[in-house]
């Protein structure tokens, strides 16, 4: 091997390390958001700066790429590709067909940014058998820690213990926040701009650290912090999703019941959780004693057909669909939240229908069904990949019913992480270069 080849190999390894670090920072910044800088109608976060560095580094690394991991399941690959192409191209078609302003496509360009993260993760982590799962767990320790820290600042201001408003004003610079600086009548947004984001982070954190605890007896502290964030969010959909997805994960852990019933773990955990719920109820954190919110949640669990009426979303969904049918017979093409003169739609399934009519909705539903089929099909050949795919794809499936889930950077990144783990799962199953985590 010549000295040039040796130097090139060393340079490639440094670039791979840099790409790995930038992927970690990109995922953290996608979930955390932070201050925003405005340029006209474009709002830029730290995430955008990291993506710029990531793209430049990838250009330098391109000559070293000799293969790209793709799913072996053709149906999953085709439907994923069709859906991801549609959500990017439809807004641009809206400019041509309806004359929508260019600003309507800005949010959808972020799909390309999160695609980049997924492609680099598949390329770099598979080439040298690096542990993507471990890095994702590491990422969410930081994400949960940051959300919990900002939540404490909000709680301090809410309880009038200490004036943390200067820090919170900087954190939410140029953002449209929930209530006053991320809190309102007992509900909190943490580091995100809305309770739906803290609810998502809490849900993923509970599932992720629940898994690592029952797998390796690790990260129980972060699991409990995630539970606190879930309560603080007051997100009823996230509560339901937590129960459903933990039940699903239990099927992957044959020793889960034994671990849970171990007195050394069970007594402190039950005691801590009970004390935490009591404190939260007394302080009305998450509005546990306001507006009969959790009584309504029980009604929905027992009578799912009453969900639109109880949540108050039914009339909003009907208004959005009615306006689309009258003014945009093939769908709004751009994000209907920009186009339609309606209140927040609060359901990505309804957004998909109003944006791309039956085409986008049917493709999205087909993609969801095939993705779950892929997880079930390969769950024994790639158990760890299947678990991590469920941890990220479960929230996409459930939270999309009652939230504008995939219109945010965070929602898009969650979906791409799920697809990344599913791709690794399929790739491993056909005996290509094994990704051994």
């Amino acid at each position: 091997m010549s000295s040039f080849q040796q130097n090139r190999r060393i340079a490639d390894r440094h670039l791979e390390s840099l790409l790995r670090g930038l992927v970690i920072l990109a995922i953290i910044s996608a979930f955390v958001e932070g201050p925003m800088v405005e340029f006209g109608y474009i709002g830029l976060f730290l995430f955008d700066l990291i993506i710029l560095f990531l793209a430049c580094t990838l250009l330098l690394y391109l000559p070293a790429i000799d293969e790209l991991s793709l799913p072996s399941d053709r149906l999953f690959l085709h439907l994923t590709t069709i859906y991801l192409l549609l959500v990017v191209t439809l807004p641009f078609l809206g400019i041509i067909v309806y004359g929508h302003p260019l600003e309507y496509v800005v949010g959808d360009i972020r799909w390309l940014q999160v695609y980049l993260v997924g492609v680099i993760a598949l390329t770099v982590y598979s080439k040298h058998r690096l542990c993507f799962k471990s890095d994702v767990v590491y990422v969410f320790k930081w994400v949960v820690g940051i959300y919990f820290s900002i939540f404490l600042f909000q709680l301090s201001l809410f309880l009038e213990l200490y004036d943390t408003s200067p820090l919170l004003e900087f954190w939410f610079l140029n953002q449209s926040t929930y209530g006053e600086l991320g809190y309102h009548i007992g509900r909190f947004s943490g580091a995100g701009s809305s309770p739906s984001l803290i609810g998502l982070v809490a849900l993923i954190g509970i599932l992720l650290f629940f898994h690592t605890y029952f797998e390796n007896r690790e990260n129980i502290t972060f699991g409990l912090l995630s539970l606190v964030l879930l309560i603080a969010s007051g997100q009823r959909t996230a509560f339901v999703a937590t129960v459903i997805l933990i039940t699903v994960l239990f099927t992957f852990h044959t020793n889960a019941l034994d671990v849970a019933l171990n007195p050394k773990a069970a007594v402190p955990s039950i005691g801590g959780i009970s004390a935490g719920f009591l404190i939260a109820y007394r302080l009305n954190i998450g509005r546990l004693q306001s507006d009969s919110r959790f009584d309504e949640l029980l009604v929905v669990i027992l009578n799912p057909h009453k969900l639109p009426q109880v949540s108050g979303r039914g009339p909003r969904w009907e208004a959005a669909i009615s306006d689309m049918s009258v003014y945009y017979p093939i769908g709004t093409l751009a994000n209907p939240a920009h186009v339609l003169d309606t209140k927040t739609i609060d359901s990505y399934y309804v957004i998909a229908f109003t944006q791309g009519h039956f085409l986008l909705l049917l493709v999205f539903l087909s993609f969801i069904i095939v993705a779950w089929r892929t997880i079930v099909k390969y769950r024994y050949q790639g158990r760890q990949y299947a678990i991590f795919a469920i941890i990220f794809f479960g929230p996409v499936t459930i939270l999309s019913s009652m939230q504008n889930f995939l219109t945010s950077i965070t929602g898009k990144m969650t979906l791409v992480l799920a697809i990344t783990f599913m791709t690794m799962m399929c790739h491993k199953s056909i005996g290509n270069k094994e990704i051994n985590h």
Side-chain angles (χ1 to χ4, degrees):
M1 182 182 295
S2 66
S3 59
F4 173 78
Q5 289 174 320
Q6 287 180 328
N7 291 336
R8 181 72 225 189
R9 179 169 292 184
I10 293 171
D12 289 343
R13 294 304 294 268
H14 286 309
L15 286 173
E16 287 161 5
S17 298
L18 180 57
L19 284 170
R20 183 183 183 184
L22 288 172
V23 165
I24 289 172
L25 290 175
I27 298 172
I28 292 174
S29 60
F31 281 89
V32 167
E33 293 187 341
M36 182 175 70
V37 178
E38 291 183 321
F39 292 94
Y41 52 77
I42 299 176
L44 300 178
F45 295 92
L46 176 62
F47 172 78
D48 299 290
L49 180 61
I50 294 171
I51 291 296
L52 178 61
F53 283 123
L54 197 58
C56 293
T57 307
L58 179 62
L59 290 176
L60 296 175
Y61 183 69
L62 279 177
I65 299 176
D66 50 16
E67 67 175 42
L68 180 64
S69 298
L70 292 175
S72 62
D73 191 300
R74 295 298 178 187
L75 184 58
F76 172 66
L77 174 61
H78 293 157
L79 274 171
T80 301
T81 303
I82 292 170
Y83 171 70
L84 295 180
L85 283 174
L86 274 177
V87 292
V88 172
T89 56
L90 283 179
F92 287 97
L93 285 176
I95 296 176
I96 299 170
V97 175
Y98 294 128
H100 291 326
L102 187 61
E103 64 188 271
Y104 284 6
V105 307
V106 171
D108 297 288
I109 291 175
R110 293 199 181 280
W111 278 112
L112 301 178
Q113 295 176 310
V114 295
Y115 295 170
L116 182 66
V117 175
V119 169
I120 292 175
L122 287 171
T123 303
V124 174
Y125 283 86
S126 63
K127 185 172 183 179
H128 292 291
R129 302 182 181 182
L130 298 174
C131 189
F132 190 49
K133 298 196 314 298
S134 296
D135 279 359
V136 168
V137 172
Y138 173 78
V139 160
F140 270 87
K141 287 181 180 179
W142 275 98
V143 171
V144 168
I146 293 170
Y147 265 83
F148 189 76
S149 299
I150 300 297
F151 159 66
L152 289 180
F153 287 126
Q154 293 167 337
L155 182 63
S156 176
L157 197 58
F158 173 66
L159 298 177
E160 300 181 349
L161 300 177
Y162 188 77
D163 183 12
T164 57
S165 55
L167 187 144
L168 294 174
E169 287 170 356
F170 168 75
W171 184 262
F172 294 113
L173 181 67
N174 294 324
Q175 290 195 59
S176 177
T177 61
Y178 173 73
E180 181 181 356
L181 299 178
Y183 69 91
H184 179 61
I185 51 176
R187 294 181 68 193
F188 301 83
S189 68
S193 56
S194 71
S196 61
L197 293 183
I198 190 175
L200 169 64
V201 167
L203 170 58
I204 294 175
I206 290 170
L207 298 174
L208 196 60
F209 299 123
F210 162 87
H211 164 64
T212 58
Y213 176 71
F214 285 107
E215 191 78 6
N216 305 311
R217 311 296 190 274
E218 296 176 347
N219 303 321
I220 187 63
T221 300
F222 287 97
L224 294 175
L225 291 180
S226 300
L227 181 59
V228 172
L229 294 179
L230 180 64
I231 297 171
S233 74
Q235 277 288 313
R236 294 172 292 186
T237 311
F239 271 85
V240 174
T242 300
V243 174
I244 294 172
L245 295 175
I246 280 183
T247 303
V248 173
L249 288 185
F250 253 108
T251 64
F252 285 84
H253 292 275
T254 55
N255 66 332
L257 192 59
D258 293 335
V259 174
L261 295 178
N262 186 328
K264 291 183 179 180
V267 173
S269 298
I270 293 173
I273 292 172
S274 300
F277 268 106
L278 179 61
I279 294 171
Y281 183 82
R282 294 285 294 178
L283 297 177
N284 197 26
I285 295 174
R287 292 167 67 183
L288 287 176
Q289 50 177 304
S290 297
D291 302 335
S292 303
R293 289 175 55 79
F294 290 88
D295 291 341
E296 294 172 353
L297 177 60
L298 182 60
V299 170
V300 169
I301 292 172
L302 298 176
N303 303 277
H305 64 280
K306 295 185 177 180
L307 181 59
Q309 294 88 346
V310 170
S311 66
R313 289 170 168 82
R316 281 181 267 168
W317 297 345
E318 292 170 1
I321 294 171
S322 175
D323 285 357
M324 179 274 293
S325 301
V326 172
Y327 302 108
Y328 302 94
I330 62 172
T332 62
L333 300 181
N335 185 340
H338 300 317
V339 180
L340 300 177
D341 186 21
T342 58
K343 294 181 179 179
T344 304
I345 297 173
D346 276 341
S347 171
Y348 183 74
Y349 294 99
V350 177
I351 285 179
F353 179 67
T354 52
Q355 180 177 356
H357 218 284
F358 282 110
L359 173 63
L360 184 57
L361 179 61
L362 289 177
V363 169
F364 181 59
L365 290 174
S366 300
F367 162 66
I368 286 178
I369 293 169
V370 170
W372 280 110
R373 163 195 163 275
T374 303
I375 292 173
V376 172
K377 180 179 178 180
Y378 294 95
R379 69 189 185 281
Y380 296 119
Q381 298 168 330
R383 174 178 170 273
Q384 288 295 325
Y385 301 110
I387 290 173
F388 274 72
I390 290 169
I391 288 171
F392 287 96
F393 197 64
V396 172
T397 306
I398 299 174
L399 298 187
S400 291
S401 63
M402 305 299 273
Q403 296 174 13
N404 303 333
F405 188 78
L406 294 175
T407 60
S408 66
I409 304 174
T410 309
K412 293 177 174 69
M413 182 62 77
T414 303
L415 177 58
V416 166
L417 287 174
I419 292 172
T420 301
F421 280 115
M422 285 184 238
T423 302
M424 290 178 172
M425 178 178 64
C426 295
H427 178 258
K428 182 180 179 182
S429 70
I430 61 170
N432 289 341
K433 183 185 292 183
E434 184 172 315
I435 307 169
N436 185 9
H437 293 189

